[in-house]
Amino acid sequence: MANEKKFRVLIDMDGVLCDWEPTFLKTYKEKWPGRPFIPLEERKEFLVRNDYKNQLGIINPNEVYEKEGWFLNLPPVKGAVEAFEYLNSRDDIEVVICSAPITNYNFCVTEKYQWVEKYLGKKAVSQLMLTKDKTIVRGDLLIDDKPLIKGLDSPSWFHALFTAAHNTWFCDYSSNQRRMDSWDIKWLDEFIADLKTRSKN
Ligand SMILES: Cc1cn([C@H]2C[C@H](O)[C@@H](COP(=O)(O)O)O2)c(=O)[nH]c1=O
Ligand SMILES: [Mg+2]
């Protein structure tokens, strides 16, 4: 293992480590009781604000996630913390947390660092990389809930599409993409083993 190149896993935050969609809906209903909302099963677009504008003509759902404390108070996705710790403990793997901040970054950027420290520990803070463009980050595997990830480069990573409310309908997978339904360590082990074998052939 000493000189062997490590397998790099990039892990997204919103919708993968942090439970974005259900928390958005819960907070939205608390903020605007009685206002029309989009049930999780009817989410379609990656950006919640696009769905609310197109389906309901509502233009300010962003007020929910631009508020101080929103990003820090997102609960972890089930099994995410354990899976992060497991991957991080493996000698053959290096983990990078790779997350896109919102454009109105005031609270988001600081709180993403705080979230990582709170749930994954102080050491993990140095593993966090914030970027709007994940294609320029090199890695072997990206675990991310966004179906179509575009940017300046052609990605070096294979994309595991992590299931979230907004992407359940998506099935038009590219050749470097497959679905990952949840944080199942046995599944992940087999998947990574398979990707490693493929890269050798
Ligand atoms: C689902 C969703 C996300 N956002 C924001 C939240 C994050 O800052 C980014 C997505 O980052 P990721 O690294 O790709 O997870 O976008 C949003 O503004 N609206 C949404 O509906
Ligand atoms: Mg995401």
Side-chain angles (χ1 to χ4, degrees), residues 12-16 20 46 98-100 134 143-146 166:
D12 175 30
M13 290 183 74
D14 300 313
V16 175
W20 213 94
F46 172 68
C98 191
S99 179
K134 296 181 189 177
I143 303 173
D144 199 297
D145 62 311
K146 189 173 186 176
H166 63 80

Side-chain angles (χ1 to χ4, degrees), residues 85-96:
E85 284 166 356
Y86 166 70
L87 292 172
N88 224 16
S89 73
R90 270 180 57 168
D91 288 340
D92 59 331
I93 289 178
E94 59 193 11
V95 181
V96 174

Side-chain angles (χ1 to χ4, degrees), residues 25-191:
L25 187 54
K26 180 172 171 284
T27 319
Y28 175 97
K29 286 178 172 172
E30 282 163 6
K31 185 173 169 66
W32 293 298
R35 212 199 219 198
F37 63 90
I38 301 177
L40 293 180
E41 320 78 71
E42 288 169 33
R43 284 275 286 116
K44 293 267 167 342
E45 300 248 0
F46 172 68
L47 293 175
V48 85
R49 68 165 186 273
N50 289 349
D51 266 355
Y52 274 75
K53 187 160 175 242
N54 298 341
Q55 295 187 38
L56 301 172
I58 289 174
I59 55 159
N60 62 345
N62 54 307
E63 286 178 20
V64 167
Y65 52 81
E66 287 177 0
K67 196 165 179 279
E68 183 171 9
W70 158 262
F71 283 95
L72 177 57
N73 290 315
L74 285 170
V77 167
K78 186 165 176 277
V81 172
E82 296 79 358
F84 172 86
E85 284 166 356
Y86 166 70
L87 292 172
N88 224 16
S89 73
R90 270 180 57 168
D91 288 340
D92 59 331
I93 289 178
E94 59 193 11
V95 181
V96 174
I97 305 161
C98 191
S99 179
I102 53 171
T103 306
N104 188 354
Y105 55 82
N106 279 344
F107 305 115
C108 169
V109 167
T110 313
E111 290 183 18
K112 277 182 179 287
Y113 281 96
Q114 290 170 332
W115 192 97
V116 167
E117 181 170 352
K118 178 175 171 186
Y119 288 104
L120 307 176
K122 215 175 182 60
K123 261 176 80 181
V125 171
S126 59
Q127 291 170 265
L128 174 58
M129 198 171 286
L130 296 185
T131 176
K132 282 281 198 189
D133 185 348
K134 296 181 189 177
T135 68
I136 63 172
V137 183
R138 290 183 63 80
D140 299 291
L141 168 64
L142 169 70
I143 303 173
D144 199 297
D145 62 311
K146 189 173 186 176
L148 301 169
I149 303 180
K150 299 216 168 78
L152 293 173
D153 281 355
S154 180
S156 57
W157 30 258
F158 190 97
H159 178 200
L161 177 65
F162 198 88
T163 297
H166 63 80
N167 72 27
T168 52
W169 58 273
F170 184 84
C171 56
D172 191 14
Y173 305 110
S174 63
S175 57
N176 73 335
Q177 193 177 41
R178 71 174 285 188
R179 188 171 282 277
M180 174 173 168
D181 274 323
S182 62
W183 283 110
D184 177 334
I185 288 178
K186 187 168 171 286
W187 183 93
L188 203 53
D189 262 347
E190 287 168 6
F191 180 44

